[in-house]
Each structure stands twice: as C-alpha cells, then as structure tokens.
C-alpha cells in the first residue's frame, strides 16, 4: 500500500486538495493559483483561477461557485469560474492573523479555521478560532479556543465536524446544529506523540486520513485514536491529502520541501498517489 506514484511536480506549496466532479482540485499557496486535474488523463493540471494572495481551503456552493480561503487578506472569495470573483465573507475585523483551511457542508455553510497568531513572523503561539459562514456570507466565530485549527472534514452520514489542531497533536469534534452552530466539543482522536496534523480527508467508513506536516507522514486514524495505516514521506512537508479517483481508492498526497514561502521558490512541491483499501465518497 505504500508504493507511491508521482503524478505532478513543479509547485511551490500544493494545498487545499479536494475531489470534485471527477477531478482533483488544489491550490498552490505560494503562487496564488488554483488547479484542476484529471489524474487518469495525460494532460498536466490546468490553472482555473488565481488570486492575489495565499489561497488555502477550497469548497463549493450549490450554484457551482468556488469558495477560496484568501489567507493574508482574511477573506473568503467567491469565484464563478467565468472571470467573476468577489469577496464572499470578510473576516478581517474578527482576526488579525491569517485564516486557514475550510470545509463546506451540504447546507452551504463553510467552516474555516484561523491561525490565531502570525506563525510566519514567529509570533508567540495563542489559540485560534473556527468561523462559521452560512450561505448569506455573514461570518461569525463558532469556536475561539483551538490550538491552530487546520484541516477539517464532516464525517459521512453525520453532522459531526472533525478539525485538526496542528500543535496539539489531536483531532477535535463538534456537533453541527440545525442553525449551523457548533456544540459538544470533544476529543475525537489523540494522535501519536510528535504528530502535526494539517490537512484531512475522510473515507466511507469514517476513517480520517491526516497529513502530518512537520514529521512527514500520513496517518489513517479512527475515532479514539487507533492508527490503522501509515504512509511516510521522509524529508517532506505533508501538507494535505484527498481521496478520489475512478473508484475513490486513490489517496493523493500533497507535499513540499517547506511551509515557509521563502524556502519554496525552487518549486519542489509535488503530488503523489497511493492506493488504499477503503474508498472516499464519490
């Protein structure tokens, strides 16, 4: 299961991996580009749009528009993928630190984490927020006490949001209310010591794949913390992962040589894939 196949190279920091409409989507955080690719085809990824900032999480609304987390501007952009792009939600008055990864639920509510402090400038660590952004675009703070909230997933068949806390080596769960509010905060899975969870994806059995950015590995974790599978990528920053492919059993691994913008100019970011036993939702 750990035989990796290299698909694409030449990125600075691939992030925000999603499987949508039979294609692999991702952002390159340090170039501002958003890509779409057909891993089963023979064409390179195409740039579908770009922003003048660091893009992170991606999601879609019911009308097909793409939501993009614009990290340093601290806004979520709505891109109709036809040349029209506008601010969908402005979070700049609610945080002065970069915003982060995002997931959009079936109602169209987006859940988005915030650093809480300026990691890039080496500021002292403090807790960060989770924002809820309903389809009206009116953002609110849904949770304020997270240790660098990062990748997030909604467990299949549930209204349970699971969020990575990067510097706490854990996954934390919430119940999503009918009003979109979060409640019932609880530990979903402690991770092995030294783990640095970043991007997440979930399979049909509710197993969560975790990208551990600093220690260069991908883990499949069950509720309670049992680790069932490990894929090591020594010397790499494991930024994100996404399940997809024609049968949902391809795990796409997004990695780079560093998370610092100044260290990625040589474009050593790449996307590889490995076959797994449990598929993701198609």
């Amino acid at each position: 299961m750990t035989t990796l196949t290299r698909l694409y190279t030449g990125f600075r920091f691939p992030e925000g991996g999603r499987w949508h409409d039979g294609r692999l989507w991702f952002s390159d955080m340090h170039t501002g580009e958003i890509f779409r690719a057909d891993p089963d085809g023979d064409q390179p990824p195409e740039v579908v749009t770009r922003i003048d900032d660091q893009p992170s999480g991606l999601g879609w609304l019911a009308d097909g528009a793409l939501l993009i987390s614009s990290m340093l501007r601290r806004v979520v952009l709505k891109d109709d993928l036809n040349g029209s792009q506008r601010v969908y939600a402005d979070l700049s008055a609610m945080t002065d630190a970069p915003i982060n990864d995002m997931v959009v639920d079936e109602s169209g509510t987006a859940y988005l984490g915030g650093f809480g402090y300026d990691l890039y400038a080496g500021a002292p660590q403090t807790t960060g927020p989770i924002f809820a952004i309903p389809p009206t675009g009116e953002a609110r703070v849904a949770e304020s006490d997270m240790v660098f909230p990062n990748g997030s997933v909604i467990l299949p068949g549930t209204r349970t949001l699971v969020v990575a806390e990067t510097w706490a080596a854990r996954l934390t769960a919430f119940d999503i209310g009918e009003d979109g509010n979060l409640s019932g905060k609880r530990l979903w899975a402690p991770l092995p010591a030294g783990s640095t969870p970043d991007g997440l994806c979930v399979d049909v059995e509710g197993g969560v794949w975790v990208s551990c950015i600093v220690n260069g590995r991908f883990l499949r974790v069950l509720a309670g913390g049992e680790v069932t599978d490990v894929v090591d990528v020594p010397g790499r920053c494991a930024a994100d992962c996404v399940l997809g492919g024609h049968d949902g059993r391809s795990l796409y691994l997004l990695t780079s040589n560093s998370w610092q913008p100044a260290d990625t100019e040589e474009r050593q970011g790449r996307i590889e894939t490995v076959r797994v036993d449990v598929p993701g939702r198609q």
Side-chain angles (χ1 to χ4, degrees):
M1 197 201 81
T2 56
T3 300
L4 302 184
T5 299
R6 190 170 300 185
L7 291 176
Y8 309 119
T9 61
F11 310 104
R12 290 185 62 184
F13 193 86
E15 174 65 292
R18 304 289 184 266
W19 187 261
H20 177 72
D21 280 348
R23 295 293 185 268
L24 175 65
W25 295 65
F26 58 96
S27 58
D28 190 334
M29 185 185 292
H30 297 163
T31 69
E33 297 166 310
I34 312 300
F35 291 88
R36 177 174 56 198
D38 177 6
D40 294 325
D42 57 4
Q43 298 298 312
E46 62 172 325
V47 177
V48 293
T49 191
R50 53 173 50 87
I51 68 172
D52 186 22
D53 192 13
Q54 291 187 181
S56 180
L58 307 176
W60 285 264
L61 297 175
D63 63 3
L66 174 67
L67 296 184
I68 306 168
S69 169
S70 182
M71 298 177 66
L72 304 184
R73 289 178 60 195
R74 308 188 305 284
V75 299
V76 175
L77 300 172
K78 181 179 180 180
D79 194 313
D80 293 323
L81 301 177
N82 60 8
S84 173
Q85 189 180 92
R86 65 175 179 82
V87 172
Y88 177 73
D90 189 340
L91 299 95
S92 60
M94 290 180 273
T95 180
D96 58 4
I99 59 175
N100 207 355
D101 212 342
M102 174 175 61
V103 68
V104 180
D105 72 8
E106 292 180 353
S107 76
T109 298
Y111 295 93
L112 174 107
F115 283 23
Y117 66 102
D118 192 345
L119 172 70
Y120 296 116
Q125 181 179 310
T126 187
T127 55
I130 298 175
F131 301 100
I133 309 171
T136 59
E138 298 172 355
R140 63 184 183 273
V141 176
E143 168 63 36
S144 60
D145 188 21
M146 299 288 286
V147 183
F148 206 86
N150 211 325
S152 52
V153 295
I154 297 170
L155 300 182
T158 77
R159 292 185 60 80
T160 300
L161 175 71
V162 174
V163 182
E165 292 189 82
T166 299
W167 307 131
R170 67 190 178 209
L171 304 183
T172 298
F174 297 88
D175 298 318
I176 301 173
E178 292 300 323
D179 56 3
N181 288 330
L182 301 180
S183 63
K185 182 181 180 181
R186 57 197 180 274
L187 176 65
W188 191 81
L191 300 177
S195 295
T196 48
D198 190 335
L200 307 180
C201 64
V202 63
D203 61 37
V204 296
E205 294 182 356
V208 174
W209 280 96
V210 182
S211 309
C212 294
I213 185 164
V214 174
N215 53 323
R217 59 176 31 185
F218 297 86
L219 311 174
R220 182 180 183 267
V221 183
L222 304 181
E226 179 186 353
V227 175
T228 65
D229 300 272
V230 178
V231 179
D232 285 310
V233 286
R236 305 290 294 172
C237 286
D240 205 357
C241 54
V242 56
L243 285 162
H246 67 279
D247 60 359
R249 293 180 56 240
S250 292
L251 179 68
Y252 301 102
L253 312 176
L254 286 64
T255 69
S256 187
N257 62 304
S258 174
W259 53 267
Q260 284 282 11
D263 297 333
T264 63
E265 294 184 359
E266 294 184 0
R267 293 180 174 266
Q268 297 182 41
R270 61 189 186 227
I271 297 179
E272 296 166 292
T273 187
V274 63
R275 297 289 289 170
V276 298
D277 294 329
V278 184
R281 290 186 294 176
Q282 294 296 287

